[in-house]
Amino acid sequence: MMKNSKFIGAFSGILKAGHMSEHEVNIKSQLVQLAASSSAKVATREGFTLLLFGQTYSAQKVDRQATYILDEYIKNGLNSFKKLDGEFTILIVSETEFVAFRDRHGSGPQFFYSKDYFANALFYLSSVEGFQVEPDINALSQFLSLGYIPSPQTSLKGVQKLPGGSYVKVSKNGMQEDQLFPFDDFKSKYGTLKMSKEDAIVEYERLHKLGIKSRVEGAHTVGLLMSGGYDSGGNISALRDLYQGEVKTYSIGFKNNPWSELPLAAKLSEVFHSEHREYEIDGSEILQLPKIIQTIGDPFQEGGLMLNYVAMGLIGDEKPDIILGGDGNDQLHGTAGKELALNYKLKKLGLAPVQTLLSGVLENKAFDRNNKLFRIKFHNEKIKNILKSDNFGFSTKEVKNLIQPGFEIGKHEYLSRIPNHIKDFDELFMVHNFFGDIKQVINEVILFKASRMAELHENALTFPYMSTDLYNFLATVPRDIKFFGSVDELSKGQGVSKYLHKSYLKPKLPVEITGRKKQGGFAPLPIFFRSKENRKLFTSIIQKSDIVKELLNEKSVNEFLSKYERESEKPSYWFWYEQVNAFKYFNLLMLVVWWEMMINKKEISTLTDLV
């Protein structure tokens, strides 16, 4: 059992619908005993026991949080959870029901469950006596493409994970699963704000500062993750308007990176007076991959994963009472304005079939080369598939070649929820904002990895830009204020993203931050595969793994590894060619190590343990 887990182990039978009465007393007593030895806050009233894992931010004092939430639940039911702000998971047990709920963005502890068991960690579930561990090949194939497995699916058959903002309720009537923040609610609020741009900027600033104030209240030491951009700059600027105590800032860079933001982060630290620490990643950090997998559970890989891991480790033992992260702010305002505008214009001009035809031509292996044609292919796919999650991993065709014949590779189920008919550009932007930016990128990727790495290192990480009041306010803001500019301007790259955010902060931040050209902020994944010695280790691990015999096509795997080895010493025509291939390599390595740990049940702490 991982030392960092302060949640709950697996309990046999408690999720069997219709049998709650047989277990209620035993379950409740075990939950309370567990809470007494963990960080959970407990409340008991009118036959209900509530356990709160994580933190909420409200007018209620810390020792009253659980009681307040339970009182509201008894009076108003599940809808009472909608107004809560924070990073948490709630469990409620009574004589007639069991309820689990995760905060709106899923930043609190995870919740995995089957028809018989539940746990906060997938590896706990896999170790329960009687539980059958069987990989879900469709889910694993999605991971190879996307770098993650969209909720509620997991890497194991018969197991689901509870998405952010969702609940599962078990009673005598069976099992009920649903979300409390559906698209229809978001759509009904969208663009309803009746306020000038100037007043909207003032309101945005007020709500941002309110989110920070509620999070740092009572803290003696506050930490911030500092990237050197508008988001972390906004957090430390607002913090210093509210709090004059000790502030510690942490920044991560990459060795020999010409676009390093470390000097900008140091500038923010100097201006706003923090005790600053920084670290440069050299690529060796990837050897710690098993520790990450143990915490996350499913195979997962994203460009900033190792950055989050290292940042949380940099904090060390002298932990601030609360750490502010700027994660998710880009997505909350809306991203990909240029690509959305180009997608919209191409469809209006009747050119979408031409784009699809071009996509089919460019799928040929001949265009997967380090040249201009790959760049055309990359941008064409991004524009054409703008309502799908970014696919920086293996394409669908490549996955089919990578998986042995006979295994079924299904469609991405998360796409089935996206509306088929979109009437205008603003609606396209809204649909992308909800289903892409918020439901997938924020909930399943950005906040997911940051929260899990904070959990691994036992750090109290919070996200002020995700505060409930700020989220609800931005849901009402019209598109042309969220992402300022006309469709034509956006299609030319002339729109202004995060308009409210930048307008409020431009006078407050150093000109070095506000005046620089956007660099992209991407973590250069090739750094983890630059060492020839490491590539030799990774190749050996992959080729010797049982997964190559049982699931993967050995020929395709070796072709990919050989191609990467040939190209690794050559100069790259374009950053994203190297980045995409490193993404694929990382996905393949992650899947293999996950297989060794989950399916073959090997206990390892570093990649060298697999030699």
Side-chain angles (χ1 to χ4, degrees):
M1 189 172 286
M2 294 177 292
K3 68 174 184 178
N4 59 289
S5 176
K6 295 180 179 178
F7 189 41
I8 191 166
F11 288 81
S12 174
I14 66 171
L15 292 186
K16 285 186 176 179
H19 292 79
M20 289 298 297
S21 59
E22 298 177 14
H23 303 279
E24 66 207 26
V25 177
N26 188 39
I27 294 167
K28 199 179 299 183
S29 63
Q30 288 188 62
L31 288 173
V32 174
Q33 286 174 16
L34 178 75
S37 61
S38 75
S39 62
K41 302 171 185 69
V42 185
T44 301
R45 183 159 301 182
E46 298 182 24
F48 291 91
T49 296
L50 178 143
L51 284 84
L52 170 65
F53 298 91
Q55 183 66 41
T56 63
Y57 310 100
S58 67
Q60 302 302 313
K61 295 194 178 294
V62 172
D63 60 355
R64 288 276 303 161
Q65 287 179 27
T67 301
Y68 169 75
I69 294 169
L70 182 54
D71 285 345
E72 290 296 303
Y73 175 76
I74 292 171
K75 285 189 291 184
N76 302 308
L78 289 161
N79 282 328
S80 64
F81 296 151
K82 287 186 177 182
K83 60 185 178 182
L84 296 176
D85 182 18
E87 302 84 30
F88 58 86
T89 297
I90 293 169
L91 301 183
I92 297 177
V93 182
S94 75
E95 294 183 359
T96 58
E97 65 186 39
F98 172 90
V99 175
F101 173 75
R102 298 185 72 209
D103 66 81
R104 185 181 59 248
H105 294 302
S107 302
Q110 297 185 86
F111 188 86
F112 295 96
Y113 62 103
S114 69
K115 64 182 179 66
D116 296 321
Y117 309 100
F118 72 90
N120 76 305
L122 199 58
F123 279 87
Y124 290 179
L125 210 54
S126 69
S127 63
V128 173
E129 185 178 351
F131 179 81
Q132 297 297 314
V133 176
E134 185 178 356
D136 186 322
I137 306 306
N138 179 41
L140 296 179
S141 70
Q142 289 189 67
F143 162 73
L144 284 170
S145 291
L146 303 177
Y148 72 102
I149 299 171
S151 298
Q153 197 171 13
T154 72
S155 52
L156 300 182
K157 282 187 177 179
V159 179
Q160 291 183 279
K161 56 191 173 193
L162 193 61
S166 298
Y167 68 87
V168 57
K169 181 176 182 179
V170 183
S171 67
K172 294 176 182 178
N173 296 323
M175 182 182 290
Q176 177 187 358
E177 305 145 283
D178 208 349
Q179 54 185 314
L180 293 185
F181 304 92
F183 174 62
D184 286 346
D185 285 359
F186 187 82
K187 184 178 180 180
S188 68
K189 298 174 185 174
Y190 193 82
T192 58
L193 184 70
K194 305 301 180 186
M195 192 181 286
S196 68
K197 289 197 294 287
E198 292 72 23
D199 288 342
I201 293 167
V202 172
E203 179 65 359
Y204 177 82
E205 176 179 0
R206 184 186 75 82
L207 292 174
H208 178 221
K209 288 182 176 178
L210 186 63
I212 288 182
K213 182 180 179 182
S214 66
R215 283 159 168 76
V216 303
E217 190 172 7
H220 298 290
T221 306
V222 177
L224 288 99
L225 302 182
M226 196 90 84
S227 69
Y230 262 101
D231 297 335
S232 57
N235 275 343
I236 196 167
S237 170
L239 176 67
R240 278 310 190 197
D241 286 343
L242 303 164
Y243 172 87
Q244 299 308 311
E246 185 180 0
V247 174
K248 297 183 178 184
T249 50
Y250 308 91
S251 296
I252 305 298
F254 295 85
K255 285 194 174 179
N256 303 314
N257 181 10
W259 299 296
S260 176
E261 293 187 336
L262 288 180
L264 298 173
K267 181 67 179 180
L268 286 170
S269 172
E270 176 190 342
V271 170
F272 294 104
H273 311 294
S274 71
E275 180 186 324
H276 190 60
R277 294 174 65 186
E278 59 184 43
Y279 176 92
E280 285 191 301
I281 290 173
D282 62 15
S284 62
E285 298 78 9
I286 195 175
L287 296 176
Q288 305 305 313
L289 204 55
K291 296 175 184 176
I292 295 173
I293 293 172
Q294 183 79 16
T295 298
I296 288 177
D298 279 327
F300 177 92
Q301 196 285 117
E302 190 268 348
L305 174 62
M306 297 306 300
L307 189 150
N308 285 106
Y309 172 76
V310 172
M312 290 295 101
L314 178 63
I315 291 168
D317 294 328
E318 297 180 5
K319 301 180 185 301
D321 296 323
I322 194 77
I323 302 163
L324 307 181
D327 309 73
N329 194 35
D330 286 355
Q331 290 74 24
L332 205 56
H333 288 262
T335 66
K338 182 176 182 178
E339 290 82 3
L340 282 163
L342 287 171
N343 176 282
Y344 180 76
K345 291 182 77 171
L346 285 169
K347 286 182 178 177
K348 290 286 284 186
L349 293 169
L351 295 176
V354 177
Q355 190 185 20
T356 301
L357 180 63
L358 177 63
S359 177
V361 173
L362 294 175
E363 182 67 21
N364 191 288
K365 275 188 177 182
F367 298 105
D368 190 16
R369 304 275 177 86
N370 191 7
N371 55 33
K372 192 173 184 178
L373 287 172
F374 176 85
R375 191 166 186 166
I376 294 171
K377 172 185 176 180
F378 182 91
H379 287 305
N380 184 67
E381 290 299 311
K382 175 74 173 176
I383 295 165
K384 181 173 77 74
N385 299 312
I386 195 59
L387 291 181
K388 298 180 180 180
S389 286
D390 286 329
N391 184 353
F392 297 138
F394 295 95
S395 69
T396 301
K397 186 175 180 180
E398 288 172 328
V399 170
K400 288 180 179 178
N401 290 331
L402 203 58
I403 302 289
Q404 290 180 14
F407 288 106
E408 183 180 351
I409 299 174
K411 296 180 180 179
H412 298 309
E413 289 299 319
Y414 77 93
L415 296 173
S416 64
R417 307 177 194 118
I418 298 174
N420 292 321
H421 177 71
I422 295 173
K423 65 181 181 181
D424 56 27
F425 178 72
D426 284 356
E427 186 168 343
L428 175 64
F429 187 91
M430 175 191 63
V431 168
H432 180 266
N433 193 201
F434 182 82
F435 287 101
D437 291 327
I438 296 172
K439 295 293 286 184
Q440 294 302 316
V441 180
I442 289 179
N443 293 9
E444 303 275 0
V445 180
I446 301 293
L447 262 61
F448 173 79
K449 64 185 174 68
S451 301
R452 301 288 72 77
M453 293 305 94
E455 176 186 317
L456 174 59
H457 289 90
E458 297 184 325
N459 290 320
L461 179 63
T462 186
F463 311 100
Y465 294 115
M466 300 298 110
S467 77
T468 295
D469 289 340
L470 201 53
Y471 176 91
N472 289 334
F473 171 71
L474 283 173
T476 69
V477 174
R479 193 281 308 164
D480 58 356
I481 300 181
K482 258 186 174 181
F483 205 125
F484 189 73
S486 66
V487 177
D488 285 340
E489 286 171 330
L490 265 61
S491 69
K492 297 172 185 175
Q494 296 171 355
V496 181
S497 62
K498 294 190 295 190
Y499 177 78
L500 295 176
H501 185 71
K502 292 174 180 175
S503 297
Y504 131 58
L505 286 166
K506 190 168 185 179
K508 299 175 180 291
L509 298 180
V511 68
E512 291 90 341
I513 308 297
T514 62
R516 74 185 181 109
K517 186 178 180 181
K518 177 72 172 176
Q519 297 290 346
F522 298 105
L525 287 181
I527 195 172
F528 298 108
F529 305 99
R530 201 158 285 157
S531 162
K532 192 162 189 175
E533 183 180 351
N534 276 354
R535 293 198 306 274
K536 185 177 179 181
L537 170 66
F538 304 155
T539 296
S540 175
I541 290 171
I542 293 169
Q543 291 179 333
K544 290 179 180 179
S545 174
D546 289 344
I547 194 174
V548 176
K549 304 180 185 69
E550 298 178 27
L551 174 63
L552 301 179
N553 184 315
E554 186 174 5
K555 180 181 177 183
S556 296
V557 169
N558 288 333
E559 284 178 354
F560 172 78
L561 293 172
S562 297
K563 182 173 181 285
Y564 195 95
E565 192 64 33
R566 289 195 306 271
E567 294 182 340
S568 60
E569 305 295 336
K570 298 177 182 178
S572 177
Y573 166 77
W574 189 41
F575 165 80
W576 274 105
Y577 179 79
E578 267 193 306
Q579 185 80 343
V580 166
N581 281 290
F583 201 107
K584 293 175 182 178
Y585 202 144
F586 214 136
N587 284 10
L588 181 59
L589 180 63
M590 173 70 79
L591 177 60
V592 168
V593 178
W594 174 87
W595 188 277
E596 293 299 311
M597 295 175 69
M598 179 66 76
I599 306 303
N600 291 341
K601 298 187 180 300
K602 291 184 179 178
E603 294 187 7
I604 55 177
S605 58
T606 73
L607 292 184
T608 55
D609 292 338
L610 286 172
V611 177

